[in-house]
Amino acid sequence: MLRILDARTGEPVPAAPARRGLTRIEAHAFGPDPTALRVLLTADLLVRALELGGTPVWTSLTAPRDQPELRTAGTRLAIRPFEFSRDLASGLGEAQALHVVRRDAAESVGEGPVVAVAEVEWVPGTGGEPARDGGGPAVLSALLSDPSALRLALLAVPRAEPARLDPATLEEAACGLARWRRAVAGWARRPSRPVPGEVRDRLRAAWEDDLDLPAVLGVLREVESAPGIPDGARFETYAYADRLLALDLVRDLGSPA
């Protein structure tokens, strides 16, 4: 069962008390800015984790105004679309609402557990000044030069910690992602094998523990080089984890070796 740390109480709570009951994930964005994008990404990951556990989820976005820049950036980052009205959930047996919001606004949202997200800083280059929320659409455009690399870079930082990004960080993420995609394409040429039970358990334990994505990535790094795991099982492990991560790890299947 997925449990998240409620920023209101400081205590872990079930993300979905009624497993088959509808859970609403409400993202609160004040952007468009990098921190708002991280809020949307966290909400997207919650949705994916709950769906992997069999929980139906409905998502909404609360924002001070329609923000086409933020919605476009979210689409490029493989974030599923959000609704802008709560009315669609009426009569559907909603069991709980989870609010995802930047941590300095955790007390401004409605009733229900709060998932707090730390800020994102963008440092455009050596010696540059960090651009936080005031960076706006221009910063989003710079960050999204490689959306998959940005997604991986954000996943690698615990959401309660500030994410400080710069061109070198995104380049490192892009190189790591390219390596994984090449490896997955190579493993796919070998006979398929199931995800090892111990590996599957560790992956689920990580993301069900307050959505610990850095720990999920750590399991994948171990599987990449661990002896005794057949390549077909490595492939299935990465494909399984990508249902949550949405990094398009199987993109290079069928490409020349």
Side-chain angles (χ1 to χ4, degrees):
M1 175 187 294
L2 174 61
R3 298 179 67 83
I4 57 96
L5 187 68
D6 183 359
R8 294 188 196 273
T9 65
E11 298 293 331
V13 297
R19 180 172 180 179
R20 300 297 177 181
L22 178 66
T23 294
R24 175 164 56 86
I25 306 297
E26 184 169 352
H28 300 261
F30 305 99
D33 56 62
T35 302
L37 194 58
R38 193 182 194 187
V39 166
L40 265 59
L41 174 60
T42 301
D44 180 67
L45 292 163
L46 277 170
V47 170
R48 293 174 187 273
L50 286 169
E51 288 181 343
L52 282 169
T55 298
V57 187
W58 181 79
T59 58
S60 65
L61 173 62
T62 296
R65 64 185 184 280
D66 186 24
Q67 298 181 6
E69 300 95 340
L70 184 59
R71 287 188 281 115
T72 299
T75 298
R76 293 188 62 193
L77 203 60
I79 294 171
R80 299 178 185 180
F82 293 82
E83 301 291 346
F84 277 86
S85 170
R86 300 184 184 184
D87 296 339
L88 297 177
S90 60
L92 295 180
E94 179 179 312
Q96 173 171 281
L98 291 177
H99 300 275
V100 186
V101 65
R102 52 186 295 165
R103 63 180 177 180
D104 60 359
E107 298 303 322
S108 67
V109 298
E111 184 177 350
V114 174
V115 180
V117 178
E119 66 274 10
V120 177
E121 295 180 352
W122 167 242
V123 183
T126 303
E129 291 296 323
R132 296 193 183 192
D133 303 330
V139 171
L140 290 184
S141 179
L143 285 168
L144 287 163
S145 59
D146 187 338
S148 295
L150 172 59
R151 188 173 177 111
L152 178 56
L154 289 173
L155 294 180
V157 182
R159 70 166 186 277
E161 297 179 6
R164 185 180 177 91
L165 304 178
D166 56 30
T169 301
L170 295 184
E171 177 63 22
E172 181 181 0
C175 290
L177 188 57
R179 187 189 75 250
W180 274 356
R181 286 171 172 168
R182 287 193 302 269
V184 168
W187 297 332
R189 300 185 181 95
R190 308 296 297 173
S192 179
R193 295 289 186 272
V195 179
E198 182 264 345
V199 171
R200 182 185 293 268
D201 290 346
R202 289 179 61 201
L203 286 170
R204 293 197 70 95
W207 77 60
E208 290 182 350
D209 180 14
D210 198 31
L211 207 61
D212 188 349
L213 276 303
V216 171
L217 297 175
V219 173
L220 292 185
R221 283 191 289 269
E222 291 182 25
V223 169
E224 181 181 9
S225 58
I229 299 179
D231 285 350
R234 299 186 209 272
F235 168 79
E236 294 295 346
T237 297
Y238 274 63
Y240 172 67
D242 205 38
R243 295 169 62 189
L244 172 69
L245 302 176
L247 294 171
D248 202 9
L249 295 176
V250 299
R251 190 192 69 178
D252 292 346
L253 263 63
S255 60

